[in-house]
Amino acid sequence: MDRNEATQRGQRNDLNRQKVIGMKLKRLYADIAEEPIPGSFLSLLEQIDEQVRA
C-alpha cells in the first residue's frame, strides 16, 4: 500500500467515524427533545411572563 492509499483509507475511516458520531448525537437530541418540560420550569416561565406583563 502506498502513501496515497493509506491517506485515502484514513480519510474514509474519519468520515465513517463522523457519520457514526453524527447519528448518535441526532438520536440523543431526539430523545431529549421528546422529554416533557418539568412542571417547576413551566411554573417559573409563567411567573416571568406575569412579571413582564405587569
Side-chain angles (χ1 to χ4, degrees):
M1 173 179 354
D2 67 7
R3 186 180 197 120
N4 190 28
E5 289 175 357
T7 299
Q8 289 177 349
R9 181 176 288 168
Q11 289 172 345
R12 281 193 304 267
N13 286 340
D14 288 346
L15 287 175
N16 287 335
R17 285 186 194 110
Q18 289 175 5
K19 286 179 184 178
V20 170
I21 291 169
M23 290 179 353
K24 288 182 179 184
L25 285 172
K26 285 179 185 178
R27 264 188 262 138
L28 176 64
Y29 178 77
D31 290 346
I32 291 171
E34 291 174 5
E35 289 184 9
I37 298 172
S40 58
F41 186 68
L42 288 175
S43 175
L44 179 61
L45 291 175
E46 289 172 1
Q47 290 175 18
I48 293 170
D49 280 344
E50 289 172 5
Q51 289 178 2
V52 169
R53 288 185 214 142

